[in-house]
């Protein structure tokens, strides 16, 4: 235990040294016990755990690990495909634009085939409406509905206008460029825009060319920090503060509430879908007595899939939002979701139950082969 506490203190010193805001000797927002738990869970793995207080944007935990040790850039400066965690942002955008309704259904039988392209999907009942599509993480549902937005020549004069509209929603949720937090080394991510797509696909493109973005792959990347902030915007039903690590900051950048472009009416159904994911869907591994809303992500890449998860809790009185991203960690429910559940429990309950402590030890002792 003493060694763990020393590790936490060293991490906090490093965070203080790279923070930009003043005063540099002021108190940090990091909760040491969360930081300690996050670092324990990431042992032998490459990844990041970011937790934020939705009510004020304070960063509660920013634990990282790499083959060379802790590196905050793993959380704020290394964009990766977000996988199915991104389906939450897609649903909010599609609902706001009127492309879908909560009752919109899509047929899916083990995935979708278009010419020589086949995108698989795990077995589930079909067809699904939006809440169940989120809970079951149906790839077909989000590929088809995203493509339908980009190809909608009734609502939009061109596919360029459609993708520009889509991108503006995502940017309003803190995705794409850096948010300018008070830690050095922050990077943005990729959100495909018209100019980018015209350069990349010189022979032309449409909704099907880029439909991978509908499920968080292809022409879209995010950092764990951005994914956590996405969870914050959902927890708050449409607003956020720029995340920051200095508790007594006077900088108005971190004290100004920012509204998303998403329609307020879009949030309840997406939140219900995230709640259903924990109750009956892909994230039942973190069922608790208090209501967690979450979304798993499994990111395809060379080697083992990356494991991702975003969540907030409690459902109607959110105290914490979290993102976990573990490289080569497998399915989102394999590592990222259980890790997030433990950090949430530590924060809301003040300690882990005996069963949860046993789970934490098992995860801590699990090593991941980073070879691709």
């Amino acid at each position: 235990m003493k060694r763990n506490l020393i590790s936490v203190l060293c991490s906090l010193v490093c965070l203080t040294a790279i923070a930009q805001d003043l005063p540099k000797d002021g108190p940090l927002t990091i909760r040491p016990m969360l930081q300690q738990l996050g670092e324990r869970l990431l042992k032998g793995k490459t990844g990041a755990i970011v937790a934020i207080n939705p009510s004020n944007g304070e960063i509660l935990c920013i634990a990282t690990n790499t083959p060379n040790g802790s590196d905050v850039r793993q959380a704020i400066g290394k964009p990766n495909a977000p996988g199915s965690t991104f389906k939450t942002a897609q649903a909010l955008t599609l609902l706001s634009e009127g492309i879908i309704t909560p009752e919109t259904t899509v047929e899916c039988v083990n995935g979708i085939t278009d010419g020589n392209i086949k995108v698989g999907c795990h077995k589930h009942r079909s067809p699904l409406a939006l809440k169940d599509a989120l809970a079951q993480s149906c790839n077909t549902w989000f590929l088809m509905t995203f493509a339908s937005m980009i190809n909608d020549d009734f609502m939009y004069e061109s596919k360029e206008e459609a993708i520009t509209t889509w991108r503006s929603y995502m940017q309003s949720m803190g995705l794409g460029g850096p948010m300018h937090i008070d830690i050095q080394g922050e990077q943005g991510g990729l959100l495909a825009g018209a100019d980018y797509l015209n350069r990349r696909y010189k022979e032309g493109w449409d909704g099907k060319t880029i439909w991978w973005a509908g499920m968080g792959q292809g022409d879209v990347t995010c950092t764990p920090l951005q994914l956590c902030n996405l969870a914050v915007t959902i927890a708050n039903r449409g607003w956020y503060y720029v995340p920051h690590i200095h508790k007594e900051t006077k900088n108005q950048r971190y004290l100004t509430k920012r509204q998303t472009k998403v329609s307020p009416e879009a949030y309840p159904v997406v939140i219900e879908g995230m709640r259903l994911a924990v109750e009956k869907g892909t994230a039942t591994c973190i069922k608790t007595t208090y209501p967690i809303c979450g979304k798993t992500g499994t990111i395809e890449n060379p080697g083992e899939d990356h494991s991702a998860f975003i969540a907030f809790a409690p459902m109607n009185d959110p105290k914490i939002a979290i993102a976990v991203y573990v490289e080569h960690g497998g399915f989102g429910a394999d590592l990222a979701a259980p890790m997030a559940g433990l950090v949430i429990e530590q924060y809301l309950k003040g300690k882990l139950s005996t069963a949860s402590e046993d789970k934490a030890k098992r995860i801590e002792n699990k090593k991941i082969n980073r070879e691709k």
Side-chain angles (χ1 to χ4, degrees):
M1 178 65 74
K2 183 177 180 181
R3 184 175 300 173
N4 286 336
L5 289 175
I6 292 173
S7 174
V8 172
L9 291 173
C10 289
S11 298
L12 295 182
V13 169
C14 291
L15 287 171
T16 304
I18 60 178
Q20 295 172 324
D21 201 12
L22 296 174
K24 287 195 178 345
D25 57 351
L28 298 182
T29 61
I30 295 294
R31 300 299 177 91
M33 291 300 101
L34 291 191
Q35 189 76 12
Q36 175 188 351
L37 177 59
E39 293 182 356
R40 279 182 59 198
L41 298 175
L42 287 170
K43 282 184 177 179
K45 309 163 188 71
T46 297
I49 300 174
V50 181
I52 294 173
N53 182 341
S55 68
N56 55 22
E58 292 183 353
I59 298 174
L60 305 171
C61 171
I62 189 164
T64 62
N65 196 38
T66 74
N68 298 315
S70 179
D71 186 341
V72 74
R73 289 172 295 185
Q74 188 73 25
I76 68 173
K78 188 179 180 183
N80 280 303
S84 294
T85 62
F86 194 68
K87 291 173 181 174
T88 56
Q90 289 284 37
L92 293 168
T93 299
L94 295 166
L95 283 167
S96 298
E97 281 294 284
I99 303 298
I100 61 168
T101 71
E103 291 74 37
T104 297
T105 59
V106 174
E107 293 278 352
C108 175
V109 181
N110 299 323
I112 183 172
T113 300
D114 184 70
N116 295 325
I117 300 174
K118 177 173 176 58
V119 182
C121 192
H122 59 276
K123 192 172 183 179
H124 57 70
R125 62 183 176 83
S126 178
L128 298 177
L130 175 55
K131 287 190 293 186
D132 287 309
L134 282 167
Q136 299 300 326
S137 200
C138 176
N139 290 335
T140 304
W141 201 101
F142 286 93
L143 292 177
M144 294 294 290
T145 53
F146 174 58
S148 71
M149 176 181 178
I150 303 307
N151 291 337
D152 192 328
D153 56 8
F154 177 78
M155 284 194 63
Y156 311 104
E157 292 187 0
S158 65
K159 62 183 183 296
E160 285 84 3
E161 181 186 348
I163 198 70
T164 298
T165 300
W166 171 85
R167 193 168 186 265
S168 69
Y169 277 96
M170 299 300 169
Q171 289 174 320
S172 79
M173 291 181 254
L175 304 173
M179 289 183 287
H180 304 292
I181 64 171
D182 57 348
I183 303 176
Q184 292 178 352
E186 184 191 7
Q187 297 291 325
L190 171 64
L191 283 177
D195 291 342
Y196 166 87
L197 293 171
N198 288 333
R199 288 194 306 271
R200 179 172 183 187
Y201 303 104
K202 297 186 184 303
E203 296 182 359
W205 58 275
D206 60 14
K208 284 191 176 180
T209 311
I210 61 171
W211 66 352
W212 305 99
M215 63 180 206
Q217 301 261 179
D219 299 304
V220 57
T221 62
C222 306
T223 64
L225 172 77
Q226 289 174 322
L227 289 178
C228 188
N229 192 68
L230 172 61
V232 167
T233 68
I234 301 171
N236 289 336
R237 283 67 169 172
W239 59 269
Y240 70 97
Y241 290 102
V242 173
H244 52 280
I245 201 171
H246 282 91
K247 196 169 187 64
E248 296 179 356
T249 181
K250 305 300 181 185
N251 191 327
Q252 287 301 308
R253 175 186 295 160
Y254 312 115
L255 302 175
T256 301
K257 187 180 289 189
R258 296 162 193 266
Q259 299 288 336
T260 72
K261 189 179 176 180
V262 175
S263 167
E265 290 74 26
Y267 284 102
V269 65
V270 171
I271 290 170
E272 288 177 27
M274 294 175 71
R275 179 64 189 138
L276 196 60
V278 176
E279 290 183 321
K280 300 179 180 179
T282 58
T284 53
C285 59
I286 58 168
K287 267 189 170 182
T288 62
T289 56
Y290 47 88
I292 297 177
C293 299
K295 182 70 194 76
T296 53
T298 304
I299 297 86
E300 297 177 8
N301 64 96
E304 280 292 319
D305 294 336
H306 297 335
S307 179
F309 188 68
I310 64 171
F312 64 89
M315 177 177 179
N316 294 318
D317 184 24
K319 298 289 195 303
I320 183 172
I322 190 167
V324 179
Y325 203 102
V326 183
E327 295 184 13
H328 309 296
F331 293 115
D334 286 348
L335 270 182
M339 291 164 75
L342 291 169
V343 175
I344 290 172
E345 179 181 341
Q346 176 76 61
Y347 187 65
L348 295 181
K349 299 294 187 179
K351 63 178 182 179
L352 297 181
S353 67
T354 301
S356 293
E357 179 58 37
D358 290 341
K359 181 188 290 186
K361 288 178 181 176
R362 290 195 298 272
I363 293 175
E364 178 183 357
N365 292 328
K366 181 178 177 62
K367 310 300 180 185
I368 291 178
N369 184 359
R370 301 183 178 94
E371 294 296 325
K372 294 186 178 181

